[in-house]
Amino acid sequence: MRLRTLTALAGALTLSLVTGCAQGGGTGASPNTVTYWLWDANQLPAYQACAKGFEKKNPGLDVRITQLGWSDYWTKLTAGFIAGTQPDVFTDHIQNFGQFADLLVLEPLDDLGIDDSAYQPGLAANWIGEDGHRYGAPKDWDTVALFYNARMTADAGLTPEELNSLSWNPEDGGTFEKAIAHLTIDRNGRRGDEPGFDRHHVKVYGLATAGGGYGDGQTQWSNFAASAGWDYLDKARWGTKYQYDSGTFQSVIKWYFGLAKKGYMPPLTDYNVQSNQQNTQIAAGRAATAFDGAWMISTYAGFKGKDIRTALTPAGPTGKRATMMNGLADSITKASKNKAGARKWVSYLASDACQKVVGRYGVVFPATPAGTEAAVAAYRRKGIDVSSFTEPVADKKRFRTFSYPIASYSADMKALMQPAMEDIYGNGKPVSSLDETNDQINLILSQ
């Protein structure tokens, strides 16, 4: 495995950043305290409840939880690895796993006895490093579905059954593009599939934008690429070559970003990761549909005065529907000052005892089947149908689920793919330009 050092990581951060973060809630000062970081405020109450159960089962051990926003979370965690202020345990994301494994900042968890069969398929295996050691205990999972404004789709004459039966192809977009075009309305009231439609002055877009999608395209183009039969890497995990130079992939990207050229999806300039994500566009009535993840179910359900529902991702040229199935994990930091307590806490987090508690809050799908069942029941009590997210996991004949790309140098891949995808989406650069980007990424990966 190709290894990096924290010295290299430190070069990416300013001294002031490290100094500022060193004052945050880091490793426990007492052997009786386990520090735990997470980023999702919606999940904080559920894990506070788990901590109470853990502390009752382990007298003398206290869990101190810190919740940070997504961007601050990763910035402070990275700085913490350098400054020695990292937590004992943190919520880990698969897109950063390769980089953290390279940096040797994660503690092996082989002794926890994690059994793959105790969790939803594939979740546990994703956290085995290239060196064969485990670095994460399965926490939860999510898939992607098509959120839609039920009033807008009804006004367009589209039924829930039709929305759940859409298909697409890179040649003409299939019934999916027809639906998105019909849902698009310009300032004069003309729909995207009607004569005289003004693509330069759109009032309501058929599909919200989620930006360029970096190198994973989770809530952008990933379901299309996978349903066309494409894979990120030459191997499911720890591949040695990315495949952004694939003709199949480039035909998908050309078609997908072409929706914006036709006026059915907003231009890249409309997207802002802080203030104008796809859910914001739905809430404002600027878009009729949006691809988004299960972690956003409660957010969409909370839009006042709007009936937001979900549909399956469209079937692709392979005949299957596809969705990324991501799963978070809990990891222990290599420099944890309370590894014994951290191991007990992570084991508890990965158990039904905690995951069923989390499921009952109805904010996420826990990794164990029992935890998932508890979550589905909790959503049902809230009047929310989550079958668009659970069906792909249960029915492998009709659906393809796939993971984030798992490889070394993931941060480098993202750094190269972000501007490359934005150039295609926002500046009209040809998709063939991905050949060079792919070569650059694979050169780094081969080191």
Side-chain angles (χ1 to χ4, degrees), residues 338-363:
N338 189 358
K339 290 184 181 179
R343 275 180 159 74
K344 290 182 179 180
W345 173 233
V346 170
S347 292
Y348 189 79
L349 287 168
S351 70
D352 271 337
C354 174
Q355 300 215 355
K356 287 166 71 174
V357 170
V358 173
R360 288 196 287 270
Y361 277 76
V363 294

Side-chain angles (χ1 to χ4, degrees), residues 167-251:
S167 62
W168 80 280
N169 64 73
E171 285 75 40
D172 62 16
T175 57
F176 173 80
E177 182 171 329
K178 288 181 180 178
I180 296 304
H182 194 58
L183 287 166
T184 303
I185 304 173
D186 69 13
R187 64 180 179 182
N188 298 311
R190 294 188 182 90
R191 294 188 177 274
D193 56 356
E194 294 178 341
F197 168 70
D198 184 357
R199 64 185 178 89
H200 298 293
H201 298 92
V202 177
K203 182 179 180 181
V204 178
Y205 290 95
L207 180 65
T209 177
Y214 306 111
D216 59 82
Q218 182 178 19
T219 58
Q220 296 87 5
W221 41 259
S222 70
N223 79 83
F224 297 111
S227 65
W230 177 80
D231 296 294
Y232 295 100
L233 291 149
D234 57 346
K235 293 192 296 183
R237 301 179 182 95
W238 304 109
T240 59
K241 290 182 179 180
Y242 279 94
Q243 302 183 128
Y244 299 116
D245 59 347
S246 157
T248 296
F249 178 72
Q250 293 183 12
S251 70

Side-chain angles (χ1 to χ4, degrees), residues 143-149 153 158 162-166 176 179-180 183 206-208 219-220 223-224 282 288-293 300 308-314 322-323 388-389:
T143 49
V144 174
L146 184 68
F147 288 84
Y148 65 90
N149 183 313
T153 55
L158 292 168
E162 288 173 317
L163 291 168
N164 275 296
S165 301
L166 298 175
F176 173 80
I180 296 304
L183 287 166
L207 180 65
T219 58
Q220 296 87 5
N223 79 83
F224 297 111
I282 293 287
T289 72
F291 287 107
D292 219 333
Y300 283 92
I308 308 299
R309 305 181 190 181
T310 56
L312 302 168
T313 56
T323 171
S388 298
F389 300 95

Side-chain angles (χ1 to χ4, degrees), residues 208-345:
T209 177
Y214 306 111
D216 59 82
Q218 182 178 19
T219 58
Q220 296 87 5
W221 41 259
S222 70
N223 79 83
F224 297 111
S227 65
W230 177 80
D231 296 294
Y232 295 100
L233 291 149
D234 57 346
K235 293 192 296 183
R237 301 179 182 95
W238 304 109
T240 59
K241 290 182 179 180
Y242 279 94
Q243 302 183 128
Y244 299 116
D245 59 347
S246 157
T248 296
F249 178 72
Q250 293 183 12
S251 70
V252 171
I253 296 305
K254 182 178 181 179
W255 166 78
Y256 175 73
F257 289 143
L259 295 174
K261 292 182 179 180
K262 296 174 182 177
Y264 307 154
M265 185 171 72
L268 179 61
T269 51
D270 278 22
Y271 178 74
N272 187 293
V273 71
Q274 299 296 334
S275 60
N276 197 32
Q277 298 182 34
Q278 58 267 53
N279 69 91
T280 314
Q281 297 159 48
I282 293 287
R286 285 283 289 157
T289 72
F291 287 107
D292 219 333
W295 63 90
M296 294 296 294
I297 292 173
S298 296
T299 298
Y300 283 92
F303 292 156
K304 293 183 179 180
K306 286 182 167 47
D307 182 7
I308 308 299
R309 305 181 190 181
T310 56
L312 302 168
T313 56
T318 61
K320 284 192 173 185
R321 303 175 190 280
T323 171
M324 181 180 287
M325 184 180 179
N326 185 37
L328 304 181
D330 289 304
S331 295
I332 298 175
T333 59
K334 191 82 170 180
S336 165
K337 293 182 174 65
N338 189 358
K339 290 184 181 179
R343 275 180 159 74
K344 290 182 179 180
W345 173 233

Side-chain angles (χ1 to χ4, degrees), residues 5-216:
T5 66
L6 285 175
T7 301
L9 182 61
L13 297 170
T14 64
L15 179 61
S16 60
L17 173 62
V18 173
T19 304
C21 293
Q23 300 171 6
T27 53
S30 165
N32 298 324
T33 300
V34 177
T35 54
Y36 179 53
W37 286 12
L38 52 79
W39 64 76
D40 191 346
N42 292 329
Q43 295 186 46
L44 180 58
Y47 284 101
Q48 287 173 331
C50 275
K52 289 181 180 179
F54 172 78
E55 289 167 354
K56 185 176 180 180
K57 186 177 179 180
N58 297 272
L61 271 179
D62 298 317
V63 177
R64 189 172 75 208
I65 302 177
T66 298
Q67 183 269 318
L68 301 163
W70 172 265
S71 296
D72 287 342
Y73 182 89
W74 296 108
T75 299
K76 290 189 176 183
L77 182 63
T78 302
F81 285 137
I82 300 167
T85 58
Q86 69 287 316
D88 295 306
V89 181
F90 69 99
T91 300
D92 206 348
H93 196 293
I94 203 72
Q95 69 174 319
N96 297 318
F97 175 37
Q99 200 77 3
F100 289 157
D102 284 352
L103 293 169
L104 302 178
V105 295
L106 304 179
E107 178 74 7
L109 306 179
D110 306 294
D111 59 340
L112 294 188
I114 298 297
D115 182 357
D116 287 22
S117 65
Y119 305 94
Q120 297 289 0
L123 296 184
N126 282 348
W127 294 93
I128 302 296
E130 193 175 11
D131 60 3
H133 294 294
R134 171 172 299 284
Y135 293 100
K139 179 184 190 67
D140 57 34
W141 62 271
D142 56 69
T143 49
V144 174
L146 184 68
F147 288 84
Y148 65 90
N149 183 313
R151 181 188 62 78
M152 289 183 177
T153 55
D155 288 347
L158 292 168
T159 67
E161 292 74 21
E162 288 173 317
L163 291 168
N164 275 296
S165 301
L166 298 175
S167 62
W168 80 280
N169 64 73
E171 285 75 40
D172 62 16
T175 57
F176 173 80
E177 182 171 329
K178 288 181 180 178
I180 296 304
H182 194 58
L183 287 166
T184 303
I185 304 173
D186 69 13
R187 64 180 179 182
N188 298 311
R190 294 188 182 90
R191 294 188 177 274
D193 56 356
E194 294 178 341
F197 168 70
D198 184 357
R199 64 185 178 89
H200 298 293
H201 298 92
V202 177
K203 182 179 180 181
V204 178
Y205 290 95
L207 180 65
T209 177
Y214 306 111
D216 59 82

